[in-house]
Structures are given as structure tokens and as C-alpha cells.
């Protein structure tokens, strides 16, 4: 099949933790392997944190604010008739459509919406994940495709894992907050200081969060680092126990790599929802919820992500500042680290959802590029 190398694909993510970025980077890598044309990644610094070194010099990186319309227009106008691929970025899809460009939209949270935002469905093709019975709730639209939730080529899973623990806090920042939840990070670091690990604990996540924790914990058994995507997958495949916030990307990659996974309390609404749904499916038997720390239930039902974020900050502060809650957090976290949970239900879950989502998107892109 003859391919036109002069066409351009522009990828845009969303600086909401590492989930959208992880999917975008996986798509970039996979498209680059199968298409010789020009690939542009238009991204803010946070969305570039996990970009693997080996791909950086093979694509064009445009530094932009992906939440600013003028910035988006500027980069879209710079290239002749580009295809636009957006991950969870409402403004990018809207801007691209107003400019008459061909668009592809990846919505990893479709299962969470009461109704799919109309802007998302403006895309020429809208992709959502085969998760949590989504098929029964989708509107009848020809541009909707349901795909598997794993993106990129994962390493072949290891049956024999290494003894270290991989501890993951995710990107830990998002556009709805002006600062990180230091109370949450302090709860983690206080727990680490109270824990005597018999094996190495590798703590990973967004650069600011990881640097902050590293400055607080002086124990050579703890190693702090921000990992590029391919290095993260390698560590995720090697570890015998993955402990994480309940973000979708890392959680499902761990399930696919047959790595037993435990959960620390959620830091945003989508994580809170995911943890609830995974619990129902029997995939989160090893977890800490905020209700285990506070002496009351927490309910975020009906809130938007924007309204929920300050409440998560508040809960973390309530847990950190109250002596009983603080001690309970440390006790629960230290009890979570050592025992390795069963992964049987986690493996069943990912086998039913599938693992080749990005292949479908890359094929669709290539069809539009020839």
C-alpha cells in the first residue's frame, strides 16, 4: 500500500494526571512504527514528562497550552490539513472541528458520564472503552467505536516477578487545582517513614510529587523516580506487587501484565468511580478507601470532577491533621504493602475487556492517510 509521507497527524492530550498522556504516547509510538509521515505532539511540559527518549527525536514536539484555544489554533494552522487526535480534550476537538479538520477523539471515561458530552461526539470517529457495560448505554451514532482499553504494545507478561514493590501516585496534578495535595503526599511519606521494608520500594509518579516525597524520606530502601512510559511498563511487568491510585491506564496495564495490584485512596472523581466499579467486579480486594480512614462515609455522587477535586483535598487534610485518622492511614497503608493480593479476578477482567485498542485507532488513522 503506497503511503503519503507528507501528511501530518497532530496528537493532543490533556494535563489531567498521566492517564490521557499515557494513551496518547502509546498511540504516537504505535503510529510511528507503521507510518512514515509527520507526527506532531502538541503538549504542555506535564504532558511531556513520560515521553520516551527513543521517540522524542522521531516526532515533532510543539510546546503549547492544550487548554488555550489560541495556542491550539496556532499549532493546527502551522501544518497543512492535519489529522487531529485528541485524548479527553474537549477544547481541542471543538477548535479542530470549527477549523474544518478531520478529528479522532479518545474518551477513556465514557462509562462515567451520565451523557457523553456533545463536543466529544463532534469527532469524525469517537472511541470509547469496552468497560463497565458501556455498550448498553451508548447513543445510536455511526461515528462511535467501542474498543479495548489497553493502548500500545505491552511487553510479554512475566510469570515470575521480582521481589520489589512498585508504588505509583500517577501524574498527581490536574487543571482543576492550583496546587498539589500536599496533605496526601505527607500521609504517604509519614507512612513510608514508619515502615521498615524488607525489600526495595520504587515510588513513581509525576515529577513534582515524586521530588517532594523524596525530600522527606531518607531511607535507602525507597527509590523515587518519574519513569518514561516504556521504563514504567518494564518495572510494572517486573514487580511482584503494584500499589497505585485507581487511575484507569496504569491499573489496566498492571492487570494485563498479570501483576497483583492494590489500591491507595483516590485523588479525583474518576479514580473514586473506578475503585467503586472494580470493587463490584471483585478486582479491588486489596485497597484503602477514604471511609477506612475517616470515621464517616464519603460520597461524590452527582458532583463534577471540578467540584470534587477540592473535596478530595479537604479529605486528605482531614486525614492528615486529625491524629486518629493520621495513625489509621499509616496503619492501613503499612498493612497493604506486605501481603500480595490475588490477581485472578483482575486477570479475568482484562481478558474480557481486551488489549488491542490502539491497533484499531492506528488502522483507522492509516486508512485516512493514504
Amino acid at each position: 500500500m503506497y503511503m503519503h509521507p507528507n501528511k501530518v497527524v497532530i496528537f493532543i492530550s490533556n494535563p489531567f494526571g498521566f492517564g490521557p498522556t499515557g494513551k496518547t504516547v502509546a498511540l504516537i509510538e504505535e503510529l510511528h512504527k507503521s507510518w512514515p509521515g509527520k507526527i506532531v505532539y502538541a503538549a504542555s511540559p506535564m504532558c511531556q514528562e513520560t515521553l520516551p527518549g527513543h521517540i522524542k527525536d522521531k516526532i515533532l514536539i510543539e510546546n503549547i497550552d492544550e487548554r488555550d484555544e489560541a495556542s491550539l489554533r496556532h499549532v493546527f494552522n502551522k501544518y497543512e490539513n492535519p489529522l487531529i487526535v485528541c485524548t479527553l480534550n474537549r477544547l481541542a476537538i471543538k477548535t479542530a472541528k470549527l477549523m474544518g479538520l478531520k478529528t479522532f477523539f479518545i474518551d477513556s471515561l465514557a462509562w462515567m458520564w451520565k451523557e457523553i458530552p456533545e463536543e466529544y461526539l463532534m469527532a469524525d470517529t469517537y472511541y470509547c472503552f469496552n468497560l463497565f457495560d458501556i455498550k448498553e448505554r451508548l447513543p445510536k451514532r455511526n461515528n462511535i467505536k467501542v474498543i479495548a482499553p489497553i493502548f500500545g504494545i505491552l511487553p510479554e507478561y512475566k510469570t515470575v516477578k521480582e521481589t520489589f514493590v512498585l508504588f505509583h501516585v500517577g501524574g498527581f496534578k490536574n487543571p482543576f487545582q492550583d496546587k498539589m495535595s500536599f496533605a496526601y503526599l505527607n500521609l504517604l511519606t509519614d507512612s513510608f517513614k514508619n515502615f521498615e521494608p524488607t525489600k526495595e520500594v520504587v515510588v513513581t509518579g509525576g515529577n513534582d510529587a515524586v521530588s517532594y516525597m523524596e525530600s522527606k524520606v531518607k531511607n535507602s530502601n525507597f527509590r523515587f523516580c518519574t519513569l518514561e512510559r516504556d521504563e514504567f511498563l518494564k518495572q510494572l511487568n517486573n514487580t511482584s506487587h503494584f500499589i497505585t491510585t485507581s487511575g484507569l491506564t496504569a491499573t489496566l496495564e498492571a492487570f494485563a501484565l498479570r501483576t497483583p495490584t492494590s489500591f491507595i485512596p483516590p485523588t479525583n472523581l474518576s479514580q473514586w468511580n473506578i475503585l467503586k466499579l472494580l470493587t463490584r467486579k471483585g478486582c479491588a480486594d486489596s485497597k484503602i478507601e477514604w471511609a477506612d480512614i475517616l470515621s464517616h462515609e464519603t460520597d461524590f455522587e452527582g458532583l463534577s470532577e471540578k467540584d470534587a477535586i477540592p473535596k478530595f483535598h479537604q479529605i486528605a487534610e482531614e486525614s492528615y491533621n486529625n491524629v486518629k485518622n493520621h495513625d489509621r492511614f499509616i496503619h492501613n497503608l503499612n498493612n497493604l504493602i506486605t501481603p500480595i493480593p490475588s490477581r485472578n479476578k483482575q486477570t479475568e477482567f482484562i481478558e474480557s475487556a481486551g488489549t488491542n485498542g490502539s491497533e484499531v485507532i492506528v488502522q483507522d488513522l492509516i486508512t485516512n492517510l493514504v
Side-chain angles (χ1 to χ4, degrees), residues 102-292:
K102 186 131 193 162
T103 55
F104 298 79
F105 192 88
I106 295 107
D107 181 5
S108 50
L109 298 179
W111 48 270
M112 196 170 107
W113 315 129
K114 283 192 174 65
E115 274 180 38
I116 294 167
E118 203 49 47
E119 292 97 332
Y120 293 7
L121 293 166
M122 286 166 75
D124 292 277
T125 310
Y126 164 90
Y127 302 94
C128 62
F129 292 168
N130 178 25
L131 287 173
F132 309 126
D133 311 314
I134 183 69
K135 287 178 181 170
E136 296 154 27
R137 304 192 351 248
L138 290 170
K140 296 277 178 278
R141 301 278 276 261
N142 292 335
N143 63 333
I144 294 177
K145 277 196 179 186
V146 181
I147 58 171
I150 295 280
F151 276 26
I153 294 142
L154 296 182
E156 195 174 325
Y157 68 83
K158 286 193 168 177
T159 44
V160 179
K161 308 282 188 182
E162 294 169 25
T163 54
F164 74 95
V165 174
L166 184 63
F167 201 102
H168 177 248
V169 297
F172 212 75
K173 285 165 116 178
N174 69 64
F176 298 137
Q177 62 190 67
D178 52 2
K179 62 183 193 312
M180 293 191 298
S181 175
F182 288 106
Y184 192 106
L185 295 175
N186 288 336
L187 285 165
L188 293 178
T189 55
D190 286 357
S191 303
F192 295 159
K193 286 182 209 166
N194 273 277
F195 185 67
E196 278 308 321
T198 51
K199 48 196 170 191
E200 187 183 36
V201 180
V202 177
V203 183
T204 185
N207 199 27
D208 290 351
V210 167
S211 304
Y212 178 79
M213 288 190 286
E214 187 173 29
S215 71
K216 298 265 185 189
V217 180
K218 303 298 176 207
N219 180 330
S220 59
N221 280 327
F222 283 89
R223 183 158 66 84
F224 294 86
C225 50
T226 294
L227 300 171
E228 293 172 357
R229 179 178 151 78
D230 45 359
E231 184 56 33
F232 174 73
L233 289 174
K234 189 175 148 193
Q235 298 284 0
L236 185 58
N237 198 14
N238 286 341
T239 184
S240 53
H241 190 186
F242 182 51
I243 301 174
T244 183
T245 48
S246 42
L248 199 63
T249 305
T251 298
L252 296 184
E253 285 171 346
F255 290 6
L257 292 170
R258 310 296 192 265
T259 299
T261 303
S262 299
F263 298 97
I264 53 175
T267 62
N268 61 43
L269 187 66
S270 61
Q271 290 177 5
W272 183 77
N273 275 303
I274 290 162
L275 191 55
K276 234 172 33 169
L277 291 161
L278 289 174
T279 302
R280 269 186 224 150
K281 300 273 183 191
C283 297
D285 291 344
S286 175
K287 68 175 189 299
I288 303 170
E289 294 187 86
W290 286 116
D292 302 328

Side-chain angles (χ1 to χ4, degrees), residues 278-326:
L278 289 174
T279 302
R280 269 186 224 150
K281 300 273 183 191
C283 297
D285 291 344
S286 175
K287 68 175 189 299
I288 303 170
E289 294 187 86
W290 286 116
D292 302 328
I293 307 303
L294 309 161
S295 42
H296 57 81
E297 282 298 319
T298 58
D299 187 13
F300 295 87
E301 214 64 72
L303 290 182
S304 69
E305 189 71 82
K306 191 175 184 175
D307 295 334
I309 291 289
K311 290 193 179 292
F312 281 101
H313 276 272
Q314 211 177 312
I315 282 176
E317 276 165 14
E318 199 184 320
S319 303
Y320 181 64
N321 294 325
N322 175 299
V323 176
K324 266 189 184 156
N325 295 343
H326 177 269

